[in-house]
Amino acid sequence: MNKEKQTVKRRIFISNTRMVLVTLSLFLFVNMFVVNLYESTYKNSMIGSSELADNTEQIRNILTDWNPSPKEEAINNLATKLNRYGFSICVEIDSEVIYSNTDFPVSELINYIGDYFETDGKVHVYVQDYMTVLTQYDMNEKMKVYAIAGEYHGFWSQKNNLTTILILLLIDGIFCIGALLIISQIFTKRLIEHITNPLDALSEGAKRMKEGNFSEPVKYKGDIEFEYVCEAFNKMQEHIMEANAEKESYEKVRVEMVAGISHDLRTPLTAIRGTIKGLKDGVATTPELREKFLDTAYRRTIEMDRLLERLFYFSKLETGNMPLFFEKTEWSEYLEAYVKRYELLIENESIKIKMKDVKKGLFSNVDREQMKRILDNILENSKKYAETNKLEITINIFEEHAYVVLEISDNGCGVSEDKIPHIFEQFFRGDESRNIKEGNGLGLYIVKYLVNAMGGSVDAENSNGLTIRIRLPILDE
């Protein structure tokens, strides 16, 4: 079963959520434990403190029957009676203690009960923690009497419990903060690993590319975003590798082209130089022979001029300095004029051009001068590579959907099937031996470039020779 892939955003959200939930859960668990502990202690304390001291009622009766008097003898007698029942006594007049037989600082007890002290003259009972206190107030003498039973420390148990809770909460807070830091470090470390692993893989890939290794891809499986980045990196690497291979291939054919051009220029130059040398040496002894020599030299200069013109034209195409001037053109009329003009140029050659089933009334928007160059290059290609003594070229034009289709076919030997897809590439030559055929591999490349620039397409196939098919958009009348 394939594990569902996670995004980085989702991973960060889940990681932070886990960190918060775990920390809060731990905090709640500890606090519940502390609260339960305090609740248990507090209940036990309350249970103990809710019981009155023994003989409380007897003490209440004694105080009720006693006639309050500040005299020492009266107070001593009262203290003696209370002591029999396990009670101590404290007497205060005008906020000053005049008698006390307690064994602890009585002032703290007085301060503690002071806010609750009743001054109606009756006897009141106070129970706090482990102590029972009975109080009586005499308005005339401004005298307060305290009868006390139990242990003093009980008065401070509640404060001590509160202090204990605060200390525990402080310790709990410190513990939770430490736990939060530790847990966050654990989750953060895992999150950093998820993020840095693909980054490290990309860094290694960039390092390999810097060293010239473009064949080894970046391998990563994990978060979707990083998979996309690594996949894009690999595609970029592939494109660079393909571009480098294409550049090397291009440079190779350019070198071959320069060598071929040198050969193509050397051939007519050699012929011209031989002709001129023959004329200088007096080989041509008759006017007819001299005319023949000069005519040969002239034809060679035309070949050189045509070659240089094509190279110059190719340079303009590559730099984008070839403007096109479109005109509405009727195809049957244009082709008839072109064929007539071309036949005048080849009247001394064994080449036959015929037009077959040319449909009239078909219009396209084309650059007429560049269209002439397209046709010239196609016919010249047939002349060079058809390998037949009697070359026949057939031109056909018809309508196909929204396109005008122009077919130029020859009766030559065609092109091997494995090379047909490449004949429109720049510098490609079907025959790699320049000793057999002259050419520079630019003619059909220029054809494709111009046809594409006019919004059309071009392809080729073998059909009793080579057939080149051009498709251009039909223009309504």
Side-chain angles (χ1 to χ4, degrees):
M1 181 181 294
N2 292 331
K3 185 179 180 181
E4 183 182 357
K5 296 183 182 300
Q6 294 190 27
T7 64
V8 174
K9 291 181 179 178
R10 184 179 179 189
R11 186 178 293 280
I12 293 175
F13 172 79
I14 293 175
S15 179
N16 289 338
T17 302
R18 285 176 179 171
M19 181 172 62
V20 172
L21 288 178
V22 171
T23 304
L24 288 179
S25 298
L26 185 61
F27 183 83
L28 291 175
F29 174 80
V30 173
N31 279 281
M32 287 176 63
F33 175 79
V34 171
V35 170
N36 288 332
L37 180 63
Y38 172 74
E39 183 179 9
S40 176
T41 305
Y42 182 77
K43 285 181 178 179
N44 293 333
S45 174
M46 291 299 294
I47 291 173
S49 64
S50 63
E51 297 179 357
L52 293 173
D54 295 337
N55 305 314
T56 298
E57 286 301 318
Q58 287 84 344
I59 301 301
R60 182 198 294 269
N61 295 330
I62 292 172
L63 289 177
T64 302
D65 297 337
W66 184 64
N67 185 20
S69 172
K71 294 181 179 181
E72 183 178 352
E73 183 180 357
I75 294 174
N76 288 332
N77 291 333
L78 178 63
T80 301
K81 291 181 180 180
L82 295 181
N83 189 50
R84 295 173 186 171
Y85 294 97
F87 277 77
S88 302
I89 187 172
C90 175
V91 180
E92 181 185 33
I93 297 177
D94 288 335
S95 302
E96 181 181 351
V97 177
I98 63 169
Y99 181 87
S100 175
N101 61 357
T102 62
D103 56 356
F104 58 86
V106 72
S107 59
E108 294 184 12
L109 170 63
I110 293 172
N111 291 334
Y112 187 80
I113 298 179
D115 294 335
Y116 308 101
F117 198 96
E118 298 289 342
T119 60
D120 55 2
K122 298 180 180 179
V123 176
H124 295 276
V125 180
Y126 298 91
V127 179
Q128 178 65 40
D129 290 336
Y130 302 98
M131 297 191 75
T132 300
V133 181
L134 288 84
T135 63
Q136 186 182 36
Y137 180 73
D138 181 66
M139 295 284 293
N140 296 324
E141 301 295 339
K142 297 182 180 180
M143 183 172 63
K144 295 179 181 178
V145 179
Y146 300 89
I148 307 160
E151 299 179 3
Y152 166 73
H153 65 80
F155 280 100
W156 299 99
S157 64
Q158 188 176 20
K159 292 183 178 180
N160 291 337
N161 288 339
L162 180 60
T163 303
T164 302
I165 291 174
L166 292 176
I167 293 174
L168 289 175
L169 288 177
L170 178 61
I171 295 173
D172 180 34
I174 295 174
F175 174 77
C176 288
I177 292 173
L180 178 60
L181 291 175
I182 295 173
I183 294 171
S184 64
Q185 287 296 319
I186 294 173
F187 285 108
T188 301
K189 182 179 179 181
R190 292 183 60 189
L191 182 60
I192 290 174
E193 288 177 354
H194 279 289
I195 295 176
T196 57
N197 286 343
L199 295 180
D200 291 340
L202 288 171
S203 178
E204 289 297 324
K207 184 178 179 181
R208 290 194 300 270
M209 290 179 62
K210 184 178 180 181
E211 295 172 352
N213 181 6
F214 296 91
S215 59
E216 185 176 349
V218 173
K219 297 178 182 179
Y220 173 78
K221 293 294 180 183
D223 297 323
I224 295 175
E225 292 92 339
F226 287 122
E227 282 191 4
Y228 288 158
V229 172
C230 293
E231 183 179 354
F233 185 92
N234 291 335
K235 288 183 178 179
M236 176 193 70
Q237 186 173 257
E238 291 175 4
H239 289 321
I240 294 176
M241 186 166 58
E242 292 173 359
N244 288 341
E246 184 177 350
K247 181 180 178 181
E248 292 177 1
S249 175
Y250 183 80
E251 290 300 322
K252 179 181 178 181
V253 295
R254 285 179 70 92
V255 171
E256 292 177 354
M257 186 194 73
V258 171
I261 291 172
S262 301
H263 179 275
D264 290 344
L265 288 174
R266 186 182 297 111
T267 300
L269 279 173
T270 301
I272 293 172
R273 183 173 58 188
T275 302
I276 295 174
K277 184 69 168 58
L279 290 173
K280 286 182 65 177
D281 293 342
V283 174
T285 56
T286 64
E288 291 79 9
L289 195 55
R290 283 195 297 272
E291 182 67 23
K292 182 178 179 181
F293 272 49
L294 291 173
D295 185 59
T296 300
Y298 178 73
R299 286 200 309 272
R300 294 297 185 177
T301 59
I302 292 176
E303 291 177 8
M304 293 176 61
D305 182 67
R306 186 180 301 166
L307 175 61
L308 293 174
E309 180 185 3
R310 179 165 294 179
L311 290 173
F312 177 71
Y313 190 82
F314 171 74
S315 176
K316 293 179 71 175
L317 290 181
E318 291 292 282
T319 56
N321 294 324
M322 179 56 66
L324 297 178
F325 302 97
F326 292 95
E327 298 178 73
K328 184 178 180 179
T329 303
E330 201 280 325
W331 281 104
S332 62
E333 179 182 339
Y334 178 83
L335 290 175
E336 288 177 0
Y338 173 80
V339 170
K340 287 181 180 179
R341 184 173 58 252
Y342 194 80
E343 285 178 337
L344 293 176
L345 298 175
I346 60 171
E347 59 181 352
N348 295 326
E349 301 180 30
S350 57
I351 301 175
K352 182 179 180 181
I353 300 177
K354 62 180 180 178
M355 297 179 64
K356 176 185 177 182
D357 300 331
V358 175
K359 183 177 179 179
K360 298 183 181 296
L362 295 178
F363 292 84
S364 290
N365 207 17
V366 297
D367 186 317
R368 296 186 181 184
E369 183 63 29
Q370 303 307 329
M371 195 66 216
K372 172 181 174 296
R373 187 177 300 276
I374 290 172
L375 296 173
D376 285 345
N377 288 357
I378 294 174
L379 297 182
E380 184 177 350
N381 184 78
S382 293
K383 287 168 59 177
K384 286 183 177 179
Y385 299 103
E387 295 186 1
T388 179
N389 294 328
K390 294 182 179 180
L391 178 61
E392 293 184 4
I393 297 175
T394 302
I395 299 177
N396 185 20
I397 190 166
F398 56 90
E399 180 180 358
E400 186 180 82
H401 304 300
Y403 290 90
V404 172
V405 181
L406 175 62
E407 287 185 345
I408 301 99
S409 305
D410 62 40
N411 62 337
C413 62
V415 178
S416 60
E417 292 296 332
D418 61 319
K419 294 180 179 179
I420 283 185
H422 305 287
I423 64 174
F424 295 103
E425 296 175 2
Q426 57 186 355
F427 311 130
F428 179 81
R429 301 177 68 250
D431 192 333
E432 298 176 356
S433 173
R434 286 192 170 268
N435 294 325
I436 301 175
K437 298 285 190 303
E438 295 181 1
N440 44 59
L442 294 177
L444 294 184
Y445 167 75
I446 293 174
V447 168
K448 182 178 181 180
Y449 183 98
L450 292 175
V451 171
N452 290 343
M454 295 182 194
S457 61
V458 60
D459 58 65
E461 67 175 2
N462 286 317
S463 179
N464 298 322
L466 181 65
T467 297
I468 293 179
R469 191 175 293 106
I470 298 171
R471 290 179 175 83
L472 291 165
I474 289 179
L475 183 66
D476 295 335
E477 296 185 41

